[in-house]
Amino acid sequence: MELFNLLLSHSGTRRYLRPYLASLLFSTRCLLSYEDWKNTHNSEKFILPATTLEVTRQLLVSLQRLECFAIEDVSSKPLSDDEMKKMYHERAHVLQKLCHKYHFEEMSDVVYAGVGMVCKEGFLRKCLERVEGVEVLVDLCHRLRLVDRETVERDFGMLGGELGTENATRSRVKRFLVQVLVYHHTIKPSEARRLRELPLYPNESLLWDSNWVGPMEGGQGGLSKVLPKMSLQFLSFSDYLLRCFKLLRLESAYEIRSDLVDVIWRMRPALRHGYAHDMGYGAGVDEDDELKKKRSMTEFHGWSRMGLELVDDDGVSPVRLIKVSPPKLGESIPAEVLAEFTIDLKRCGESIRREWDSIGEFDNLFLMGIDAASVNGGPTSMLEEMKGENKYGALADDMNFPKRYGIIAVRGCMVLEVRDEDGNVLSDPSYQPVKSDKPKDTIKRYFKVALDPAQYAADATGKGSLFGLKVYQTLNVVVRRHGKENNFKAVLETVRSLMTGEGSINRSIPRWLQPVLLGYGDPASASFQSKKMIHFAEITPGVTPPDAALDYGDTFVNESHLRSSFEGNVVVDGRKDCDESKPQTRLNYRIKIDCKNGESNIIATSYPFLPDVSGNPVPFTPVQVKAIRSGLSPGLTMIVGPPGTGKTDVAVQIISNLYHSFPSQRTVLITHSNAALNDLFEKVMARGDIDERYCLRLGFGERDLQMETQFDFTKTGRVNHILSRRLNLLEEVQLLSESLGISGSAERGPDGSPSYTCETAAYFYLHHIQKRIQIFNNQVENDHLTASIGELYPFGKYFNFSDSALAVLTLEEAKKSFERIQTIFDELAEYRPLELLRSQKQRIDYLLTKQVKIVAMTCTHAAIARSQLIQLGFQYDNIVMEEAGQMLDIETFVPLLLQSGEIESMSRLKRICLIGDHHQLPPIVKNKDFSIFSNFDQSLFARLIRLGVPTIELNMQGRSRADIAELYNWRYNNLGNLGHISTDNKFLSCNPGFVHTYQLINVNDFEGRGEYSPTPYFYQNIGEAEYAVALFQYMVLIGYPPERISILTTYNGQKGLIEDIVSQRCGNGTPLAGIRPQSISTVDKYQGQQNDYIILSLVRTKSVGHLRDIRRLIVTVSRARLGMYVLCRQSLFAQCHDLKRVIDQFIKKPTKLELVTGEDYNTQRKANEQIPSEKKFVIDDVTVLGSIVHKMQQQLIS
């Protein structure tokens, strides 16, 4: 059945398999067979494990939904809800005709009913079950070509063409035929409707359902799984979004479960003293009183900074429902469910209190019901859980955790408002806290929250909880999560909204891209050189035609660089050869490439380079130039960037060229992380040729931008900058007016502010400035002119020109000054709408939708903000995505849909540029079931490469020494080194104090101990941690700058241990007090960053662990520029076949650290220079290195 599900999910096999399964009535037979097995579970002969039965049921449900999926089998055309209804209504109409003609008396209810009623399962089943004879049902199935008589006789043992008379046989036949007719005629709920009725917050049932949310390392052995799979192809965008939604929901549920388990484990719920023998409540006890007593029986012996016990203010329930809005028209769940609860921060410390007070509007919280009386066997003590390594496995993977800790309910909610006891709204961003010295008995916070309406509807019917709506009276704990991990609801809402509005996807995404995204058609059809894209360029406004020149701007540092970047005949400004006699000045270029008869003719035309700007400092390689050309052309550009090959520089150049070439178009920048986005945005602004008023940074990382400017790039910062700029320009207008004698200082405001507005400035320009310029031009053109240019020039006083300056003023200089004046009024014209828009929000929305040309955000923020951007009418023409290989498939897909497509027009999107490296780490998926079984960690970037979409792979790295680059360049096609790697002194010089530039250092057990796990999956190795810190201290003591050193490890546990040791060894009172490496991080978090020297701890001594993934290994060995020192258990990693290519290069060098005595950081020695043996010192183990460091510190003190 799992195989059939997979085959039905691909259109190529579906068109053959689905009709065949339908002819066999496969789904109906499986359903009846499952029910028979389930009904006979008490029989030892037929018994099946409960898990197997549940998996079978889920596989069957999945099979039925795929069979009825809204798509045509042959053409693979998606069908709308109306088209599906029409198909089922036609089937119902045929059934009514047959019933009227042949079985009117028995089926009169069906004949007279509307087709809508016939298509309802309850009505049709009721009508069919009332029919007494099975002959009627056999005849109907036969005439509808569903089941013939021979099949019935064969399957149910009826011989001779006559239906048997045994009641058992007739009952089985009738049950079978009724199910066949019902399955064929009833309309199945659409997937979009099912999603609308599905809670976005996970409840206790989903969180601890091992069939859906299994353990982190995967489980259930060879048992089939019902999880959807992210394959290469999808039936439709609806199918794609449905799979993404389910996997996103399950992955977020796993992460939520881990956080909730950690909080409850730390709070240690227990039965209150005195209630141990009072477990009964007696007859006739009020249900509310019973629940109140149940809550009072639970107390908490521990604490957690992320969880608090609720305060029962009214004595009825800590969580009070205050509003349940009726469902909207056509829906079945409430429109809104609001509730209130209270917490008391009196017992919390100041830092924890600030954390709870930082909870703002739209943050997600979880309410939990903990009943210590329902604990099964009592919670395992903290000490017992700590014994042994992984004795009990991870608590988050313990499916019996709710029973052991008394968890009876979990409900999610979204914060709408937080108030204190004085009624102040703490969640208001404008609220400023007032310090009060008056002590208080309580520090209460009142939360107003929105509950999940779908979950409330399920609770009301008893499907969500056995307690019904009383479940909200059982909630007594609130849990918060870190903001970075708590965006799941907004992302799920975005995907669900896309499901319900699938038609807008077809309008938002260009038609030339849709088959490529779904995995069909020619994978090269979206490339800029394909015939489809050439035709698209010919008919689309705002796209450079195929026969026109592309504006490369300042891509080339000089003419020689341009000529070396292309193959073929290069003609620059009409010259076939470069004029070496003249100095090569910086110019911008427009280039036309004409390919005829297999020959390339490159025709370049120069134009002046912008003065007073930095521009592009990078001499791009020919492959990088090819990538830039593709990025400027319409279509899909896929750039594979190995480590150190300048992916970000290429992205910045594409963005700049798009900005200058198409000034009316908007470009969106997307990255996976805030750090990468800030780096990209800083490089864009550092060029100096992009006006900062056209740039905007969205999201929570916007404050981290380190720009050399007094303005910030947040939405509020942009508005404030523009308002300030407006005042400065109006002051210039005022000065210009006063210089012409049109107005004086008396017209200024009381505070000396200019009297002009943007509107009056426009009139001033029209009636006074243009008039004077026109008069000047007419006088200059007069052939009988006797006066000089300076005598006619009208703005000499404004520019403070002296008489001597006016006397030598040229016509060209005068016209340039006119352009400067016009620039002032042109810029003011852009700010004029801000005078009409008074609120800050209106101004921000205007900037976002009308003015800015470059908008930057992370993929997560794009998913969160999509609905708001759609409502504002946000539009864009180009999108550039960095770190595309680290984004989930859906995280790359959603940014393509930040604008709504108009019904009668094609998509506005013209260029899509994805930049990444699928050979490095994939998207992070914590649960292995979802990554391995469901392939959820497959990025869209990697999927398109696997489908055969053409890519441009950058082939020259400029980050690492040549010998360090050899550790990873084998993974790529012909990855070479840039010229400076073999010429720059820093790459040719040694690492002072070290014999080798890189080395694998074998670390044996330290004090009889290798790797260990204080808690499950929290791996540490004290020997490697001590070695790493001692090596860092040694490097600092001989003069290495600490900011040029990073310590990396492969596990969070080891990272924390290293941080603790650094704090001790370099803490207050030590010779190296306050000195820390530039970063202490895990390899996964450090992807996209690099440093000169890397100290790496691999931690594991018993098994290789997740470093077995070759992609993680590539990231690991490509972070260092000049030196890398790896601490590990050599015998373990050398035996791993997956790592052999890299480890073999490492073990060519000695596996004990070799130092050079008498050297410091300023020592000048070539890396290939021979070192006398007497100057070499071999470090046997960490104790030897530690003693050396100790002596050096003592010398430093003395």
Side-chain angles (χ1 to χ4, degrees):
M1 198 176 295
E2 186 179 351
L3 174 63
F4 286 160
N5 278 331
L6 187 62
L7 295 176
L8 288 173
S9 300
H10 291 78
S11 63
T13 51
R14 176 188 175 86
R15 62 171 56 101
Y16 303 107
L17 180 62
R18 201 202 70 84
Y20 178 67
L21 294 181
S23 69
L24 297 177
L25 304 172
F26 185 77
S27 295
T28 301
R29 296 177 188 274
C30 288
L31 176 63
L32 297 176
S33 175
Y34 166 77
E35 291 178 353
D36 289 341
W37 275 100
K38 188 175 180 181
N39 293 333
T40 57
H41 71 281
N42 289 326
S43 170
E44 291 185 2
K45 183 178 179 180
F46 298 106
I47 192 167
L48 282 175
T51 305
T52 305
L53 277 174
E54 178 59 20
V55 170
T56 303
R57 185 192 69 80
Q58 293 172 355
L59 284 171
L60 180 57
V61 170
S62 176
L63 181 71
Q64 290 177 332
R65 291 180 179 177
L66 281 170
E67 270 197 325
C68 303
F69 196 81
I71 189 173
E72 285 188 356
D73 293 334
V74 178
S75 65
S76 298
K77 174 190 172 184
L79 300 175
S80 65
D81 288 348
D82 291 338
E83 289 172 327
M84 290 295 291
K85 284 182 181 179
K86 181 180 179 182
M87 181 183 72
Y88 279 104
H89 287 170
E90 289 175 353
R91 292 181 182 180
H93 194 51
V94 172
L95 176 64
Q96 287 178 309
K97 286 183 177 180
L98 291 176
C99 291
H100 180 270
K101 186 173 183 179
Y102 297 105
H103 306 287
F104 181 79
E105 293 184 1
E106 297 88 345
M107 304 293 292
S108 59
D109 289 345
V110 174
V111 173
Y112 288 125
V115 289
M117 287 297 296
V118 177
C119 291
K120 291 184 177 179
E121 180 178 357
F123 173 80
L124 184 58
R125 186 179 295 277
K126 185 177 179 181
C127 293
L128 294 175
E129 288 178 347
R130 280 206 301 261
V131 177
E132 295 184 359
V134 295
E135 291 81 0
V136 173
L137 300 179
V138 172
D139 185 63
L140 285 174
C141 289
H142 178 72
R143 294 182 185 279
L144 288 168
R145 304 294 190 270
L146 297 176
V147 185
D148 54 26
R149 291 179 177 273
E150 290 76 12
T151 300
V152 175
E153 293 168 1
R154 182 183 67 248
D155 291 352
F156 294 95
M158 301 174 182
L159 305 175
E162 295 293 334
L163 294 175
T165 58
E166 295 183 8
N167 290 336
T169 303
R170 295 177 68 84
S171 176
R172 290 174 58 212
V173 173
K174 184 174 181 179
R175 178 166 164 258
F176 171 70
L177 297 175
V178 167
Q179 184 61 36
V180 169
L181 290 168
V182 168
Y183 185 73
H184 183 70
H185 291 95
T186 56
I187 297 178
K188 315 304 184 292
S190 67
E191 294 295 345
R193 181 179 176 183
R194 286 194 180 100
L195 290 190
R196 284 197 299 270
E197 298 176 355
L198 194 66
L200 294 179
Y201 293 104
N203 59 16
E204 68 280 0
S205 300
L206 177 64
L207 289 172
W208 282 278
D209 186 343
S210 60
N211 292 320
W212 291 110
V213 188
M216 174 176 149
E217 298 293 334
Q220 304 186 36
L223 188 64
S224 295
K225 301 180 188 299
V226 202
L227 300 172
K229 298 179 179 63
M230 296 299 293
S231 54
L232 295 179
Q233 298 176 329
F234 300 91
L235 297 175
S236 65
F237 285 119
S238 178
D239 175 43
Y240 168 79
L241 291 170
L242 180 64
R243 300 192 209 182
C244 290
F245 179 88
K246 290 181 177 179
L247 289 171
L248 271 174
R249 182 168 177 261
L250 294 175
E251 171 68 7
S252 63
Y254 174 78
E255 295 175 2
I256 291 166
R257 184 178 74 190
S258 301
D259 292 340
L260 298 184
V261 163
D262 180 71
V263 169
I264 300 304
W265 176 72
R266 293 178 185 276
M267 293 182 72
R268 296 168 60 197
L271 195 63
R272 193 180 298 275
H273 181 70
Y275 284 97
H277 303 290
D278 189 16
M279 304 297 290
Y281 307 110
V285 177
D286 181 77
E287 190 174 358
D288 291 340
D289 292 338
E290 183 177 335
L291 291 172
K292 180 179 178 181
K293 187 173 183 180
K294 187 183 288 287
R295 290 195 305 271
S296 66
M297 294 170 63
T298 302
E299 63 179 1
F300 299 93
H301 292 172
W303 69 277
S304 170
R305 70 187 309 126
M306 307 301 289
L308 287 174
E309 189 175 4
L310 299 180
V311 177
D312 193 352
D313 279 338
D314 59 5
V316 177
S317 172
V319 178
R320 304 171 292 281
L321 297 175
I322 59 176
K323 181 181 179 182
V324 180
S325 300
K328 295 180 180 179
L329 189 63
E331 296 185 358
S332 58
I333 62 175
E336 186 180 45
V337 181
L338 303 183
E340 286 184 341
F341 63 84
T342 308
I343 61 173
D344 191 350
L345 303 177
K346 180 69 174 178
R347 295 177 56 199
C348 299
E350 187 63 29
S351 62
I352 298 178
R353 194 179 304 161
R354 283 198 301 268
E355 290 176 7
W356 281 95
D357 282 342
S358 66
I359 294 175
E361 189 178 10
F362 306 125
D363 284 347
N364 296 304
L365 301 175
F366 285 88
L367 301 170
M368 303 184 68
I370 310 296
D371 178 18
S374 65
V375 170
N376 185 2
T380 307
S381 70
M382 296 173 65
L383 291 176
E384 190 176 354
E385 286 182 354
M386 300 290 283
K387 290 180 182 177
E389 298 180 5
N390 302 329
K391 178 178 179 180
Y392 293 97
L395 288 173
D397 294 342
D398 181 7
M399 295 299 120
N400 292 319
F401 186 86
K403 295 180 180 178
R404 295 201 293 115
Y405 283 81
I407 300 176
I408 57 176
V410 177
R411 295 293 179 269
C413 61
M414 183 179 70
V415 176
L416 300 179
E417 184 181 86
V418 184
R419 291 176 289 108
D420 62 11
E421 293 173 290
D422 298 325
N424 299 313
V425 181
L426 305 183
S427 55
D428 186 349
S430 63
Y431 171 73
Q432 296 294 331
V434 179
K435 288 188 177 181
S436 175
D437 297 330
K438 184 179 179 181
K440 293 184 178 181
D441 295 332
T442 60
I443 305 178
K444 291 185 177 180
R445 299 291 182 259
Y446 302 93
F447 286 76
K448 181 180 179 182
V449 297
L451 298 172
D452 195 322
Q455 184 64 61
Y456 180 87
D459 293 333
T461 59
K463 296 180 181 179
S465 172
L466 297 176
F467 293 97
L469 290 180
K470 297 291 184 182
V471 69
Y472 296 98
Q473 296 184 28
T474 68
L475 304 174
N476 56 357
V477 171
V478 60
V479 177
R480 62 185 175 92
R481 304 176 71 218
H482 294 293
K484 189 176 180 181
E485 305 165 351
N486 217 16
N487 297 317
F488 69 96
K489 181 175 180 286
V491 178
L492 289 174
E493 282 181 329
T494 297
V495 179
R496 185 166 68 177
S497 67
L498 289 173
M499 275 285 295
T500 56
E502 189 192 356
S504 65
I505 296 178
N506 296 319
R507 297 191 297 271
S508 299
I509 295 181
R511 293 185 179 181
W512 46 264
L513 185 62
Q514 292 179 19
V516 176
L517 292 179
L518 291 176
Y520 300 108
D522 181 10
S525 62
S527 174
F528 76 99
Q529 293 178 319
S530 68
K531 292 181 179 179
K532 179 184 288 189
M533 294 315 303
I534 291 174
H535 176 69
F536 173 79
E538 291 172 345
I539 63 174
T540 305
V543 176
T544 306
D547 57 348
L550 282 175
D551 190 348
Y552 282 76
D554 61 355
T555 301
F556 308 100
V557 295
N558 52 44
E559 184 178 330
S560 298
H561 178 213
L562 184 153
R563 292 181 179 276
S564 64
S565 300
F566 295 96
E567 295 181 356
N569 302 318
V570 181
V571 178
V572 180
D573 293 333
R575 303 188 312 272
K576 291 187 177 181
D577 298 313
C578 183
D579 189 355
E580 301 291 347
S581 62
K582 296 182 179 179
Q584 295 196 22
T585 58
R586 191 72 185 267
L587 295 170
N588 290 350
Y589 293 94
R590 294 185 182 91
I591 299 177
K592 178 181 177 180
I593 301 177
D594 188 11
C595 297
K596 290 182 179 178
N597 302 322
E599 233 181 55
S600 295
N601 296 309
I602 294 90
I603 303 172
T605 306
S606 65
Y607 63 95
F609 181 75
L610 293 174
D612 303 323
V613 299
S614 302
N616 163 49
V618 181
F620 291 111
T621 67
V623 176
Q624 288 175 320
V625 171
K626 181 180 178 182
I628 293 170
R629 176 193 176 192
S630 179
L632 291 174
S633 305
L636 174 64
T637 299
M638 299 273 293
I639 302 174
V640 177
T645 53
K647 298 186 289 292
T648 304
D649 293 326
V650 171
V652 168
Q653 191 62 37
I654 291 173
I655 293 162
S656 174
N657 290 355
L658 288 173
Y659 171 83
H660 292 292
S661 301
F662 308 99
S664 62
Q665 296 184 10
R666 182 177 290 123
T667 301
V668 173
L669 313 185
I670 301 289
T671 65
H672 177 258
S673 65
N674 278 306
L677 186 58
N678 290 342
D679 181 45
L680 181 63
F681 204 65
E682 288 171 8
K683 287 189 174 183
V684 169
M685 293 310 306
R687 293 174 52 89
D689 59 345
I690 297 178
D691 196 322
E692 66 179 35
R693 74 177 187 268
Y694 294 125
C695 300
L696 179 65
R697 166 75 160 85
L698 303 180
F700 302 108
E702 55 199 6
R703 298 284 180 183
D704 298 331
L705 283 173
Q706 301 297 323
M707 309 298 297
E708 294 181 358
T709 173
Q710 57 179 318
F711 306 108
D712 65 58
F713 286 85
T714 67
K715 291 180 286 187
T716 304
R718 289 296 83 206
V719 172
N720 294 337
H721 162 66
I722 286 176
L723 293 178
S724 174
R725 177 70 176 163
R726 168 185 167 274
L727 287 176
N728 293 336
L729 293 176
L730 289 177
E731 177 64 25
E732 292 297 322
V733 174
Q734 183 74 32
L735 293 174
L736 181 59
S737 175
E738 293 174 359
S739 70
L740 297 174
I742 297 171
S743 64
S745 58
E747 280 80 9
R748 288 180 176 269
D751 57 349
S753 60
S755 61
Y756 284 94
T757 65
C758 292
E759 182 179 6
T760 57
Y763 294 134
F764 170 70
Y765 178 75
L766 180 66
H767 295 294
H768 296 283
I769 303 302
Q770 277 193 337
K771 178 181 177 180
R772 284 167 170 76
I773 293 175
Q774 186 63 42
I775 292 173
F776 174 83
N777 289 332
N778 291 337
Q779 291 176 337
V780 168
E781 292 173 359
N782 188 354
D783 295 336
H784 304 288
L785 177 66
T786 57
S788 67
I789 297 294
E791 292 175 355
L792 301 176
Y793 186 68
F795 307 118
K797 186 175 180 181
Y798 170 72
F799 286 107
N800 293 323
F801 286 164
S802 62
D803 293 340
S804 58
L806 288 173
V808 296
L809 183 69
T810 64
L811 181 60
E812 183 180 354
E813 291 173 340
K815 290 186 175 181
K816 284 185 177 180
S817 69
F818 295 159
E819 292 176 359
R820 287 177 58 188
I821 293 174
Q822 185 176 354
T823 301
I824 294 173
F825 291 94
D826 288 344
E827 189 171 344
L828 281 172
E830 294 184 17
Y831 301 153
R832 184 173 175 180
L834 297 183
E835 294 182 339
L836 305 175
L837 303 171
R838 293 300 180 183
S839 73
Q840 189 82 334
K841 182 180 183 305
Q842 288 176 326
R843 289 170 172 173
I844 290 171
D845 293 344
Y846 173 79
L847 292 182
L848 182 60
T849 56
K850 300 297 182 183
Q851 186 172 21
V852 295
K853 304 301 180 186
I854 298 177
V855 182
M857 68 189 88
T858 63
C859 56
T860 301
H861 186 79
I864 295 172
R866 179 185 178 270
S867 59
Q868 180 188 3
L869 294 175
I870 295 292
Q871 290 175 359
L872 293 176
F874 178 74
Q875 290 185 322
Y876 56 103
D877 305 86
N878 317 297
I879 185 166
V880 178
M881 296 194 200
E882 249 264 59
E883 298 185 318
Q886 293 178 254
M887 301 180 196
L888 292 172
D889 203 314
I890 189 65
E891 289 178 331
T892 313
F893 182 75
V894 169
L896 303 177
L897 299 161
L898 300 182
Q899 58 188 345
S900 60
E902 300 177 9
I903 296 177
E904 298 300 331
S905 67
M906 56 186 175
S907 170
R908 181 169 172 170
L909 200 55
K910 303 172 182 67
R911 301 170 189 86
I912 300 164
C913 183
L914 304 183
I915 305 173
D917 184 4
H918 58 297
H919 292 305
Q920 296 189 55
L921 281 174
I924 297 174
V925 176
K926 294 185 178 180
N927 191 293
K928 285 193 175 180
D929 273 348
F930 305 143
S931 59
I932 296 175
F933 183 83
S934 297
N935 207 21
F936 191 41
D937 63 349
Q938 173 182 256
S939 64
L940 176 63
F941 186 78
R943 179 163 69 88
L944 293 179
I945 290 177
R946 291 181 62 192
L947 285 168
V949 174
T951 62
I952 300 172
E953 183 169 322
L954 307 183
N955 63 346
M956 302 292 283
Q957 73 88 24
R959 173 190 296 172
S960 305
R961 293 180 186 270
D963 54 349
I964 294 178
E966 289 179 0
L967 294 172
Y968 59 85
N969 62 14
W970 57 271
R971 187 66 176 167
Y972 301 91
N973 295 324
N974 302 317
L975 179 59
N977 301 318
L978 289 172
H980 69 269
I981 298 295
S982 57
T983 58
D984 281 10
N985 186 57
K986 70 176 182 178
F987 292 108
L988 299 178
S989 298
C990 69
N991 293 342
F994 292 91
V995 174
H996 307 286
T997 55
Y998 71 90
Q999 199 173 357
L1000 185 146
I1001 304 163
N1002 182 54
V1003 180
N1004 294 317
D1005 289 354
F1006 182 73
E1007 296 178 351
R1009 200 177 196 186
E1011 72 167 77
Y1012 59 96
S1013 300
T1015 58
Y1017 313 126
F1018 197 75
Y1019 295 103
Q1020 294 182 335
N1021 186 318
I1022 184 66
E1024 290 185 14
E1026 290 281 6
Y1027 208 130
V1029 176
L1031 187 54
F1032 166 72
Q1033 291 177 287
Y1034 167 77
M1035 295 177 72
V1036 172
L1037 287 168
I1038 65 173
Y1040 281 81
E1043 65 274 7
R1044 299 182 65 183
I1045 306 170
S1046 293
I1047 303 179
L1048 304 184
T1049 180
T1050 47
Y1051 290 92
N1052 279 313
Q1054 185 76 345
K1055 170 183 171 256
L1057 181 59
I1058 292 173
E1059 287 177 335
D1060 291 342
I1061 296 176
V1062 168
S1063 298
Q1064 294 174 7
R1065 302 287 189 271
C1066 303
N1068 294 332
T1070 65
L1072 299 179
I1075 294 178
R1076 292 180 62 87
Q1078 185 265 341
S1079 178
I1080 301 175
S1081 178
T1082 61
V1083 171
D1084 291 25
K1085 294 289 185 182
Y1086 207 67
Q1087 180 168 346
Q1089 304 176 62
Q1090 59 275 331
N1091 208 343
D1092 287 350
Y1093 305 98
I1094 298 294
I1095 301 171
L1096 173 67
S1097 169
L1098 300 186
V1099 185
R1100 304 300 294 272
T1101 59
K1102 297 178 181 178
S1103 63
V1104 173
H1106 61 200
L1107 191 65
R1108 187 182 296 274
D1109 187 339
I1110 194 67
R1111 296 170 296 186
R1112 181 169 282 105
L1113 179 67
I1114 295 299
V1115 174
T1116 302
V1117 297
S1118 61
R1119 299 305 97 198
R1121 298 190 191 102
L1122 304 177
M1124 166 169 271
Y1125 301 95
V1126 181
L1127 310 171
C1128 70
R1129 183 64 56 84
Q1130 178 209 341
S1131 58
L1132 173 67
F1133 290 92
Q1135 294 174 0
C1136 180
H1137 176 75
D1138 298 322
L1139 312 181
K1140 185 174 178 59
R1141 187 75 178 263
V1142 175
I1143 300 300
D1144 283 352
Q1145 293 188 59
F1146 268 113
I1147 60 180
K1148 290 178 182 178
K1149 299 179 185 294
T1151 57
K1152 289 185 178 181
L1153 179 63
E1154 294 187 346
L1155 305 180
V1156 181
T1157 59
E1159 290 189 348
D1160 61 18
Y1161 183 66
N1162 296 318
T1163 299
Q1164 297 296 321
R1165 174 171 57 85
K1166 296 299 181 182
N1168 57 1
E1169 187 177 323
Q1170 292 293 325
I1171 303 171
S1173 57
E1174 62 271 13
K1175 295 192 68 176
K1176 293 182 181 180
F1177 187 84
V1178 179
I1179 303 296
D1180 290 326
D1181 55 31
V1182 65
T1183 56
V1184 176
L1185 182 60
S1187 64
I1188 292 175
V1189 169
H1190 178 69
K1191 291 178 182 178
M1192 295 174 71
Q1193 287 181 321
Q1194 294 300 318
Q1195 293 174 2
L1196 181 64
I1197 295 173
S1198 62

